Amino acid sequence: MKAMSVIEIANLYGMNRQSIYKRIKKGDLSKNSDGRIDLSEAIRVFGEPVQRSNSNVTYLQSTEVQKSAEV
């Protein structure tokens, strides 16, 4: 699968680099010998990446609030 840099993974998931490095140091996430992270490894740890846009994030947040209210 595609190998990505820490910066690419951070951008993909909307996180900062320090969060990625903390997960690597903790042992939750592993890097290849070339220092890159397989996308499959990132998906295992963080889940499927979601395409983010301002309207989409707002919609997803309101949907989550509605679901939690129903429960």
Side-chain angles (χ1 to χ4, degrees):
M1 195 160 234
K2 182 178 179 183
M4 303 174 76
S5 69
V6 172
I7 293 171
E8 290 171 324
I9 296 289
N11 290 335
L12 182 64
Y13 285 97
M15 305 171 77
N16 59 34
R17 291 177 306 143
Q18 290 79 14
S19 298
I20 305 296
Y21 285 118
K22 284 179 185 177
R23 296 299 287 266
I24 292 168
K25 185 175 181 178
K26 188 177 175 185
D28 294 339
L29 187 65
S30 60
K31 296 191 299 184
N32 295 337
S33 59
D34 62 355
R36 298 175 68 81
I37 301 167
D38 280 334
L39 180 57
S40 61
E41 178 73 1
I43 291 171
R44 181 186 66 80
V45 175
F46 302 116
E48 288 286 334
V50 176
Q51 296 295 335
R52 297 176 187 238
S53 68
N54 290 337
S55 61
N56 193 21
V57 171
T58 304
Y59 171 75
L60 291 175
Q61 290 171 344
S62 66
T63 304
E64 288 298 319
V65 169
Q66 288 174 352
K67 285 182 183 178
S68 64
E70 291 173 1
V71 174

